[in-house]
Amino acid sequence: MDAKPSSETKPRAVKAWPGGIPNARTVLENTPVMASASILIVQLLTIFINKLPVTERLYERMNATYSAENIHIFGTFFITAAALWAPCLAFMYADLTERPKWLFKYKVQPWKRVGPKEYLKICIIVLRNQIFVNFPMAIIMGKVIAPYRGMRTNLPLPGVVETMGTWWFCLACTEIGFFYVHRILHSPIFYARIHKKHHVRIYQLMSPSVAHVIAGIHRASRPGIKLLYDAGARTFKPYARYPRAHWCLIVMYFCDLGIGSACIHSGYNIPYFRRSLGHDYHHYSFNENFGPLGILDALHGTSKNFKRIMKEAQARHGGDYNKASQEVLGQLAQWEVEKEEREGKAI
């Protein structure tokens, strides 16, 4: 996409949201550093929860009541599904009712209102994908991957080294898996059949094809977890007490992925949660910002236009990244309005 944002161009007022982007100022309340901090926050939260005595008693009771296979299948599926639906339902409620006010004030894409019928359609698609894609993946995990890899559900629970090491290694695996699976989904073979629905709207909350992408991350991450633990057991003697990945780290990591996916597609910019601007630009350009961390995008040159636009916007605002983000967000709104007007769609 060659168009350049202009500080003199403002998004037109759309009848559903008079005044353009009244909440765009909230982009200032979640800087890139704050958004990145969410990764560390979730890791620390996981460590804290695993240190609680009640957590140890919970795992003792869980393992005494359910088999490891059922924990891997049903525990993984229902917990990760709940982690995705919870923020999505909150965002949907805020979109439809403009309440609660403390959440709605962080909306930075208010030029479009998604109606109840469209939300219902999206929910049905996501539910279908969870049943027919995610649940079979959970079955494969419980019956094949977990026994083969020795992924455990019992005590002891992971400590600081195990949690941090696994988490950061999985982040690297996710960057690789997500980036290349995402690029494949944009190929002519798969885009029209699978991924196109995800790009119908930039605000596509609870993306219909998220299950397909997460399936790719599943395959990319788990072999890496085994390599990490094998290497750790040989290298660090205290670490050898944990010979294989623990189920709780898998669940917490994929819960974090689900919440992060909901945030970057929500049109909300909540402090200390994932920022949506980079992925919003992907929905407009289609050929940039494929990865979650941006490392492989930089390596493959698939973020150069976005970086150029941001750099130009920063130059117009004296190097202020937040004000540049606000300007680019406004320009994205303008392009969306113009696109819909060209296509003759009613807003």
Side-chain angles (χ1 to χ4, degrees), residues 10 31 51 71 114 234 273 280 316:
K10 297 181 179 180
T31 65
K51 292 291 185 181
I71 293 172
V114 185
R234 289 193 299 268
F273 284 81
D280 285 352
R316 288 190 289 272

Side-chain angles (χ1 to χ4, degrees), residues 201-268:
R201 294 283 191 275
I202 188 171
Y203 53 77
Q204 195 70 294
L205 184 65
M206 298 176 64
S207 54
S209 62
V210 70
H212 300 279
V213 178
I214 289 180
I217 299 173
H218 272 257
R219 292 189 290 272
S221 298
R222 291 204 172 88
I225 292 172
K226 181 182 184 298
L227 291 176
L228 173 69
Y229 276 75
D230 286 348
R234 289 193 299 268
T235 305
F236 303 105
K237 290 183 179 180
Y239 200 48
R241 292 194 304 140
Y242 309 104
R244 296 293 184 268
H246 198 283
W247 172 77
C248 72
L249 297 183
I250 302 298
V251 170
M252 289 295 288
Y253 185 76
F254 280 98
C255 285
D256 184 49
L257 285 182
I259 295 171
S261 178
C263 289
I264 66 172
H265 293 100
S266 67
Y268 288 76

